[in-house]
Amino acid sequence: MFRSRDKKTPEPFQDVSQGLKKLYRTKLFPLEDSYQFHDFHSPALEDADFDNKPMVLLVGQYSTGKTTFIRHLMEQDFPGMRIGPEPTTDSFIAVMHGDQDGMIPGNALVVDPKKPFRKLNAFGNAFLNRFTCAQMSNPVLESISIIDTPGILSGEKQRISRGYDFAAVLEWFAERVDRIILLFDAHKLDISDEFSEVIRALKNHEDKMRVVLNKADQINTQQLMRVYGALMWSLGKIINTPEVVRVYIGSFWAQPLLIPDNRKLFEAEEQDLFQDIQGLPKNAAIRKLNDLIKRARLAKVHAYIISSLKKEMPSVFGKENKKKELIANLGETYLKIEREHQISPGDFPKLKKMQELLAGHDFSKFSTMKPKLLEAVEDMLANDIARLMTLVRQEEAAMPSQAVHGGAFEGTMSGPFGHGYGEGAGEGIDELEWVVGRDKPSYDEIFYTLSPINGKVSGAAAKKELVKSKLPNTVLGKIWKLADVDKDGYLDDEEFALANHLIKVKLEGHELPGKLPEHLVPPSKRHKEIDMGE
């Protein structure tokens, strides 16, 4: 028994990327190929899809600030960049890192094996003439690539005149990117029919989706509240999910704010968005793993659908009529597969789209059920993915500092213009005087009413006063640990004032520090070398 188990011991993967490629080629691709998955859902994956840097896809109506947003992130113009109030970007532009600045046209791009765009060839010349790669040397692009898209317009004419399936191209990118950013203009919030169609096409990728309400400095606070509410309502109708999409509000360009009322809000929102983008390189491996799992689940369901349809087909006469009947009753086939194989309804492809695609295929050329191919994918999902997950964690631990750097990301990292600098527990960081000293006289009045002994009050006496803040005991316990600088279990007048200062910081909505900052240490304690807690 031990020997047979030893035979099945899988060979270790060298790294996550190599492991993903091997699993796809040996276990998932054979199933996809056998059941014509690539004709129905998504082209086959290539090595470049597993090796490429994290990609950010920007989508929005014209003049919502997509190109300006990229310019703001990189703090540098990129080749082929055009900005204006009219629809200027009429192409898909992949902004990527390269030693030499320049443009690569679409037709050359799709034959480059090192770039993850080879399968875009299927969308034809009408698309490839509108697809370019802008290469440049920029520190931001060392960690991520950014895809700029044509501004979405309203009206049926625009959809027809593109000459290629715009929503299908976006869906192709959505499958492969790490983050999708939908941009809206706070000043003219309208969602055209084509934009609604695009958002619905991205429906299976809500986990990658973030929404930016841009140009929010052009309206006052009251108008902003109304616009935000209208946006959430509109998105709720289109996306139609109970979860709320994360919306970042701000003015994403390097110009003065027109209406500076909400400056602090914009700073906090920009910081949150930047942190989200900065985390992409670190989370890239887990995203690729997640996408492979999603793909495997769909491929498995697809195999069941195709083999089930093949089984129902007559061997000689009445093939065409039976085909029409099977397409019309595809919903019943879904239910049957769902019950037979305990598959979640959410794993099935959209019924209407699948019916349209099936109409153009010859059912007699479909494959019958091949259990070995399905078992290989089941084994991949049950065992190999778990091994890769362990490897992902090991790689993350070995490279903790993987983050996007350079451009606008540097401006808010540190110094007086870093987010939250000089606020909350950071207040008074640059001052010579102890910041707590300003309010110490009022804290001293309370301190002396607690009948201190030898200049100190006990924990029980201090507790009676500190609980008046109505903060939870968990928070007050942390404040006590930070304020009891000498760790003697009592508070002197300076430590008591510090505890009250930290309560004020918390009540004003700021977070408490994990460790007491040097500028908050009471003056009489600064000369002592004391462990200042966590």
Side-chain angles (χ1 to χ4, degrees):
M1 184 176 151
F2 183 82
R3 207 177 298 130
S4 67
R5 194 173 139 192
D6 203 44
K7 262 186 204 172
K8 286 191 173 182
T9 302
E11 58 181 279
F13 299 124
Q14 301 301 315
D15 57 55
V16 176
S17 179
Q18 180 258 354
L20 287 168
K21 285 182 212 169
K22 187 170 181 188
L23 285 181
Y24 179 70
R25 279 197 302 264
T26 59
K27 296 197 171 179
L28 185 52
F29 179 78
L31 181 77
E32 290 182 358
D33 193 43
S34 185
Y35 293 99
Q36 302 178 29
F37 179 86
H38 309 131
D39 296 338
F40 284 86
H41 303 290
S42 175
L45 298 177
E46 299 197 327
D47 286 357
D49 290 309
F50 298 105
D51 294 332
N52 68 309
K53 291 170 190 164
M55 292 194 287
V56 178
L57 177 69
L58 292 180
V59 183
Q61 295 183 181
Y62 75 94
S63 195
T64 49
K66 294 186 298 298
T67 308
T68 308
F69 181 84
I70 299 172
R71 167 84 185 66
H72 178 57
L73 287 186
M74 301 194 304
E75 294 185 344
Q76 189 180 344
D77 290 352
F78 59 87
M81 183 181 102
R82 286 170 62 211
I83 295 171
E86 76 285 3
T88 46
T89 305
D90 63 346
S91 304
F92 281 80
I93 303 175
V95 188
M96 306 181 87
H97 188 268
D99 296 329
Q100 298 288 323
D101 288 12
M103 304 281 289
I104 304 171
N107 281 291
L109 206 51
V110 295
V111 294
D112 185 349
K114 291 180 182 173
K115 297 270 193 298
F117 305 124
R118 279 160 59 106
K119 297 296 179 182
L120 282 168
N121 200 31
F123 292 103
N125 262 335
F127 167 70
L128 295 178
N129 291 335
R130 290 270 175 269
F131 180 43
T132 54
C133 174
Q135 282 196 328
M136 60 188 294
S137 179
N138 182 285
V140 172
L141 299 175
E142 288 172 11
S143 311
I144 58 170
S145 300
I146 306 168
I147 314 293
D148 194 11
T149 61
I152 296 167
L153 299 135
S154 53
E156 189 67 26
K157 181 176 172 288
Q158 293 300 334
R159 199 173 310 163
I160 296 163
S161 65
R162 286 194 195 277
Y164 61 91
D165 191 338
F166 182 67
V169 172
L170 280 178
E171 198 171 354
W172 185 94
F173 274 110
E175 277 182 28
R176 288 155 178 79
V177 301
D178 297 68
R179 188 64 76 238
I180 302 163
I181 297 179
L182 299 178
L183 276 102
F184 292 88
D185 184 343
H187 206 244
K188 47 176 177 39
L189 185 67
D190 63 321
I191 302 178
S192 69
D193 294 344
E194 191 179 19
F195 199 9
S196 301
E197 187 187 315
V198 162
I199 296 169
R200 287 191 190 98
L202 304 176
K203 181 148 174 46
N204 294 331
H205 308 284
E206 288 103 333
D207 55 326
K208 299 177 181 181
M209 217 182 277
R210 302 290 183 271
V211 174
V212 169
L213 185 57
N214 200 11
K215 306 186 185 182
D217 63 322
Q218 296 182 10
I219 54 177
N220 62 37
T221 306
Q222 188 180 17
Q223 289 171 320
L224 183 58
M225 285 173 67
R226 287 179 180 153
V227 166
Y228 179 79
L231 175 62
M232 297 306 286
W233 181 79
S234 302
L235 286 174
K237 281 178 70 182
I238 297 166
I239 299 174
N240 199 25
T241 56
E243 297 86 13
V244 177
V245 185
R246 174 67 164 100
V247 177
Y248 299 89
I249 303 167
S251 177
F252 295 92
W253 68 337
Q255 299 298 322
L257 300 175
L258 291 177
I259 300 173
D261 302 9
N262 299 303
R263 183 186 186 107
K264 289 191 75 141
L265 169 69
F266 298 161
E267 284 174 2
E269 293 285 281
E270 183 174 72
Q271 189 69 15
D272 284 356
L273 180 59
F274 281 7
Q275 282 176 355
D276 184 67
I277 294 171
Q278 280 183 302
L280 293 179
K282 192 175 180 185
N283 300 321
I286 199 87
R287 193 276 302 166
K288 285 170 186 167
L289 189 63
N290 184 51
D291 282 356
L292 190 73
I293 295 166
K294 269 203 279 191
R295 190 180 176 99
R297 288 167 74 100
L298 179 60
K300 208 172 74 170
V301 172
H302 179 76
Y304 284 129
I305 294 167
I306 296 299
S307 57
S308 176
L309 294 173
K310 170 70 174 177
K311 191 179 168 187
E312 296 293 325
M313 284 296 284
S315 52
V316 186
F317 302 111
K319 288 184 180 181
E320 200 56 40
N321 288 336
K322 188 63 179 175
K323 175 182 168 179
K324 285 175 185 170
E325 184 192 319
L326 287 170
I327 291 172
N329 298 328
L330 189 62
E332 290 172 23
T333 306
Y334 276 20
L335 286 170
K336 187 180 163 192
I337 294 166
E338 197 182 310
R339 282 194 301 267
E340 248 178 69
H341 303 283
Q342 287 83 49
I343 293 169
S344 162
D347 285 357
F348 285 82
K350 288 174 189 167
L351 183 64
K352 194 178 174 190
K353 189 181 174 188
M354 193 67 179
Q355 286 171 323
E356 287 170 9
L357 290 166
L358 283 167
H361 281 77
D362 182 354
F363 283 23
S364 61
K365 290 182 179 171
F366 285 170
S367 295
T368 51
M369 180 65 74
K370 295 178 181 175
K372 280 193 174 178
L373 292 180
L374 280 157
E375 280 166 21
V377 172
E378 291 284 6
D379 179 58
M380 179 185 97
L381 291 169
N383 303 311
D384 298 318
I385 294 295
R387 286 165 53 219
L388 269 182
M389 274 298 294
T390 310
L391 201 54
V392 166
R393 297 294 172 224
Q394 287 171 1
E395 281 191 9
E396 282 179 0
M399 294 183 287
S401 61
Q402 275 187 303
V404 182
H405 61 92
F409 297 100
E410 300 295 317
T412 56
M413 297 288 262
S414 57
F417 295 98
H419 178 63
Y421 188 90
E423 298 171 10
E427 187 187 351
I429 192 167
D430 295 329
E431 295 175 23
L432 294 173
E433 296 296 318
W434 188 40
V435 68
V436 182
R438 292 180 201 158
D439 299 315
K440 191 169 179 290
S442 59
Y443 298 144
D444 282 351
E445 285 178 24
I446 302 166
F447 178 78
Y448 288 111
T449 63
L450 301 175
S451 310
I453 298 166
N454 298 326
K456 297 191 175 191
V457 295
S458 66
K463 181 180 177 181
K464 286 177 188 171
E465 185 59 38
L466 300 183
V467 293
K468 289 179 184 176
S469 66
K470 299 181 183 176
L471 287 170
N473 283 350
T474 50
V475 175
L476 291 172
K478 185 172 183 183
I479 287 171
W480 174 272
K481 277 179 76 177
L482 291 168
D484 183 15
V485 179
D486 53 15
K487 306 288 180 246
D488 64 351
Y490 293 87
L491 298 183
D492 62 21
D493 60 326
E494 285 183 331
E495 290 172 327
F496 182 76
L498 175 59
N500 278 280
H501 178 77
L502 292 171
I503 284 172
K504 187 178 90 165
V505 164
K506 187 65 184 171
L507 291 174
E508 286 174 353
H510 302 285
E511 289 302 316
L512 292 171
K515 180 180 176 182
L516 193 68
E518 284 182 33
H519 72 278
L520 288 183
V521 177
S524 65
K525 310 277 193 297
R526 287 181 188 177
H527 63 283
K528 300 174 185 175
E529 287 189 11
I530 296 168
D531 174 19
M532 289 181 235
E534 291 180 8

